[in-house]
Amino acid sequence: MPFIQSSPTFDVCIVGSGAGGGMAAYVLTQAGANVVMLEAGGDWDTVRDGAMLKYNYESPRRGRGTKARPFGEFDACDGGWDIEGEPYTKVEGTDWDWWRARMLGGRTNHWGRISLRFGPDDFKRKSIDGKGDDWPIGYEDLKPYYDRIDRMIGIFGSKEGMYNEPDGLFMPAPKPRCYEVMVKNGASKLGIPVIPSRLSILTQPLGDRPACHYCGQCNRGCNTRSNFSTQTVLLPPALATGRLTIITNAMAREVMTDSEGKATGVSYIDTRTKEEVQVKAKVVVLAASACESSRLMMNSKSSRHPNGLSNSSDVLGKYLTDSTGGDVMGFFPQLVDSPAHNEDGVGGMHIYIPWWLEKDKTLGFSRGYHIETWGGKGMPGYGFGGGIQRTNGKLTGGDRSKGGGGYGLQLKDDYRRLWGAFIGMSGRGEMIARRENYCEIDPTVKDQYGIPVLRFNVKWSDDELLQMKHFQETGNEIIHKMGGVPLWDIPSKEDNYGITRPGQIIHEVGTTRMGSDPKNSVLNSNCQAHEASNVFVADAGPFVSQAHKNPTWTILALSMRTSEYIVTEVLKRNLPTA
């Protein structure tokens, strides 16, 4: 294929602009490196492109999701489960869903800002229960970086002193809303702890970023930069150095290598012109997301890397995990006809239920989960009040002789009366990393740019299924203790206890795992490729395991640590400079 060769040679080429890529760009440009960043999607500016203060009724679709924005028309993330011209495949028996962002800032434009540190035990699970593998690093290795990220980005929470839920450097947490107080009271009756949530949203000014004004629309992008995304917090100071070049609409094709197997740059496809372009760089940092980075490495074959870049171990793509997920929801008669009241707050939960059975060895499954809560009088939009026929027949007043549902004025009034009378909880748990769960290159299918696509082979084990069974039972117990009525029966074993499909929680990690032995890992403990010393991975691919905690804060910590290691190695002349 004819290609265009860019000039000059950069110190570092970063692929991806999400959490890992954004942090790498920030650290490396501050250190004086000349950096180029490749982003597969288009440009995005929160102030220019966001819809933070729009009402759903301003849209002819009333906020309904679209193919490019499945989580809502005004959601701040372009991409989706099904991107035209960019397929992926699955082996028979695999139900894997893959969410991909295609915009500057990546998934940091979309996520819930739940910012949890991994705890000491999360790095050594094999030593505790014999399953999976231990990390080659521990909590103490990452703690200084967690601390610095807390100060730099901002996070609210509370100091609780829970061993495996490490405290951070918190801003004050917002008070629980009415329905969250109900959850706390119900859970407390069962001895289940409920603490303030830990979200990367400012409750106090930080630098030139003001505190959150509580519009509650964090998923739409924050015009005031009060919540965290890379394109509002990390990329602006990197750009201000004059040492960051961002190239959007650049779909990375392969990491180019020389006769010694070291990287010389990255080849990408301009998604608008379909032309191949090659950028030269002395160091390559892959931060395209766990699966995309492993795909890029698998497609980067050469005489020195015949099985893909740094893949003589055949571990590349293996040990793919996602968080487990499940939901419960209750109807609360005491909230019917509730008066309008102040529900101001951030665009996410104010409370959090951490895993409380860490030492219980009688559960029948090995790893834990946490519980997230939702409810209240959120902004009505498309689908609002769906399933009303299950509850409005129990209301008093009017003609109820035909049960639930209906039409006309009474139905409209029922929607108003039931608004805020439902509270839900979501379980998010740890999946054990197993070699038999993996992604690989499909031997026949390519995307519209001629790049071979990924094929997934992933299944839950009994550990994950029984974990979600426990959550379903616990969630229903909490609903009853709150005085509510569960809206559906506990899913059966035949229904896999209501567990989500792998990939649906969008926490995929582990495909380029780190380790001390090159025979069973792709990277070393500094996220440096064993077989190409100037290639690093700065997304969730290096994770050896996925705790029940959301991965973003650990992606940021690892990326900062890896980027500073790159700077140190350059100063030691162990890595080249342009």
Side-chain angles (χ1 to χ4, degrees):
M1 175 185 292
F3 64 87
I4 301 169
Q5 186 164 293
S6 70
S7 181
T9 298
F10 293 90
D11 292 321
V12 183
C13 176
I14 301 172
V15 181
S17 62
M23 179 58 75
Y26 174 84
V27 172
L28 293 168
T29 55
Q30 296 291 325
N34 187 22
V35 177
V36 61
M37 171 180 281
L38 305 181
E39 165 54 49
D43 187 20
W44 170 266
D45 178 85
T46 300
V47 176
R48 182 190 68 213
D49 304 315
M52 182 175 74
L53 298 179
K54 283 191 175 183
Y55 290 102
N56 286 324
Y57 62 71
E58 295 182 56
S59 155
R61 287 176 289 274
R62 299 299 186 262
R64 180 185 182 183
T66 63
K67 185 176 182 179
R69 294 183 180 176
F71 290 94
E73 181 178 3
F74 296 137
D75 186 74
C77 196
D78 293 329
W81 304 106
D82 181 15
I83 301 176
E84 186 174 352
E86 297 185 41
Y88 58 92
T89 64
K90 297 171 277 192
V91 302
E92 186 177 353
T94 286
D95 286 322
W96 173 270
D97 293 336
W98 189 20
W99 169 275
R100 289 161 291 172
R102 291 290 180 263
M103 62 190 302
L104 189 66
R107 300 183 194 177
T108 66
N109 294 293
H110 165 80
W111 69 306
R113 275 84 190 180
I114 300 173
S115 305
L116 306 172
R117 299 182 180 204
F118 281 20
D121 286 356
D122 295 323
F123 295 91
K124 52 182 181 182
R125 287 295 180 188
K126 183 176 182 180
S127 295
I128 295 171
D129 63 25
K131 297 181 181 180
D133 291 292
D134 291 342
W135 292 53
I137 61 174
Y139 175 71
E140 291 304 318
D141 294 301
L142 282 192
K143 183 182 183 301
Y145 301 96
Y146 282 134
D147 288 348
R148 289 166 59 189
I149 291 164
D150 287 355
R151 294 191 191 97
M152 176 195 304
I153 293 175
I155 178 175
F156 69 72
S158 60
K159 292 189 178 297
E160 301 292 335
M162 301 176 72
Y163 170 70
N164 207 46
E165 301 279 344
D167 294 327
L169 306 177
F170 296 126
M171 293 181 175
K175 294 180 179 179
R177 304 172 177 95
C178 172
Y179 73 89
E180 291 170 323
V181 172
M182 292 176 60
V183 174
K184 180 176 175 63
N185 291 340
S188 296
K189 293 176 183 177
L190 296 169
I192 297 174
V194 179
I195 66 175
S197 57
R198 297 171 173 183
L199 273 61
S200 48
I201 301 171
L202 303 185
T203 56
Q204 296 175 334
L206 180 62
D208 62 350
R209 298 166 58 210
C212 174
H213 53 274
Y214 287 175
C215 76
Q217 303 301 319
C218 289
N219 65 306
R220 296 180 173 194
C222 183
N223 291 0
T224 60
R225 300 189 298 140
S226 301
N227 67 20
F228 170 69
S229 69
T230 62
Q231 54 91 19
T232 58
V233 178
L234 295 177
L235 295 184
L239 287 166
T241 67
R243 292 186 286 270
L244 175 62
T245 300
I246 298 176
I247 303 175
T248 55
N249 302 292
M251 180 66 68
R253 178 186 181 91
E254 67 174 307
V255 177
M256 302 178 296
T257 55
D258 59 20
S259 59
E260 297 180 356
K262 292 186 177 181
T264 59
V266 176
S267 164
Y268 71 87
I269 304 298
D270 185 318
T271 60
R272 296 160 299 185
T273 66
K274 304 296 193 296
E275 292 180 308
E276 181 183 358
V277 184
Q278 295 182 356
V279 292
K280 294 180 179 180
K282 296 298 184 181
V283 173
V284 171
V285 177
L286 303 181
S289 81
C291 294
E292 286 284 18
S293 289
S294 62
R295 175 195 181 199
L296 184 55
M297 293 179 76
M298 284 187 271
N299 279 325
S300 300
K301 295 183 178 181
S302 66
S303 59
R304 293 296 295 267
H305 303 288
N307 197 35
L309 184 58
S310 193
N311 193 32
S312 64
S313 63
D314 200 34
V315 171
L316 191 58
K318 307 294 195 302
Y319 300 97
L320 173 60
T321 71
D322 182 34
S323 296
T324 59
D327 299 302
V328 298
M329 188 175 184
F331 167 59
F332 295 85
Q334 65 269 44
L335 294 179
V336 174
D337 296 321
S338 62
H341 58 279
N342 189 344
E343 284 203 339
D344 279 359
V346 302
M349 61 189 189
H350 288 187
I351 61 171
Y352 165 66
I353 300 178
W355 180 233
W356 66 99
L357 297 172
E358 193 72 58
K359 304 301 182 183
D360 192 333
K361 306 302 180 185
T362 67
L363 296 171
F365 56 92
S366 298
R367 308 289 169 84
Y369 61 87
H370 70 254
I371 298 177
E372 303 169 10
T373 60
W374 35 277
K377 295 177 179 286
M379 185 195 303
Y382 178 87
F384 167 76
I388 194 172
Q389 71 279 1
R390 291 178 293 188
T391 50
N392 71 328
K394 302 174 185 177
L395 296 176
T396 58
D399 180 9
R400 306 290 171 181
S401 60
K402 296 183 180 179
Y407 63 93
L409 292 177
Q410 180 172 297
L411 180 62
K412 291 180 180 179
D413 188 52
D414 288 350
Y415 278 114
R416 296 184 182 96
R417 296 180 65 193
L418 291 169
W419 188 27
F422 302 92
I423 301 172
M425 289 169 276
S426 298
R428 297 288 182 262
E430 178 171 355
M431 177 186 185
I432 296 173
R434 308 193 312 276
R435 187 182 177 97
E436 58 265 31
N437 287 329
Y438 60 88
C439 58
E440 61 185 347
I441 296 299
D442 189 292
T444 59
V445 181
K446 296 182 179 179
D447 64 17
Q448 63 177 320
Y449 311 112
I451 305 172
V453 307
L454 286 180
R455 180 170 63 187
F456 291 92
N457 188 332
V458 185
K459 291 182 176 65
W460 298 124
S461 72
D462 285 343
D463 270 297
E464 290 83 48
L465 296 175
L466 292 174
Q467 177 198 94
M468 280 298 104
K469 177 178 182 288
H470 187 276
F471 160 71
Q472 291 284 344
E473 294 167 347
T474 302
N476 276 268
E477 281 190 88
I478 295 174
I479 289 172
H480 286 299
K481 291 295 183 182
M482 292 166 62
V485 180
L487 284 185
W488 53 78
D489 294 333
I490 294 176
S492 66
K493 179 179 180 180
E494 289 69 31
D495 293 322
N496 289 330
Y497 305 114
I499 196 170
T500 52
R501 293 190 297 273
Q504 278 194 316
I505 306 303
I506 320 178
H507 289 170
E508 65 271 18
V509 311
T511 54
T512 58
R513 60 165 28 194
M514 64 164 73
S516 302
D517 187 349
K519 293 180 180 179
N520 52 38
S521 58
V522 178
L523 313 170
N524 65 20
S525 60
N526 292 301
C527 301
Q528 181 181 30
H530 286 304
E531 297 160 23
S533 61
N534 63 341
V535 175
F536 298 81
V537 181
D539 48 35
F543 286 33
V544 178
S545 60
Q546 162 62 314
H548 67 76
K549 295 136 186 169
N550 307 51
T552 303
W553 228 236
T554 301
I555 294 173
L556 289 165
L558 281 174
S559 179
M560 177 183 281
R561 180 175 181 268
T562 294
S563 299
E564 293 189 349
Y565 174 77
I566 292 172
V567 173
T568 300
E569 289 298 284
V570 168
L571 292 176
K572 292 179 178 178
R573 300 187 182 279
N574 292 332
L575 287 174
T577 56

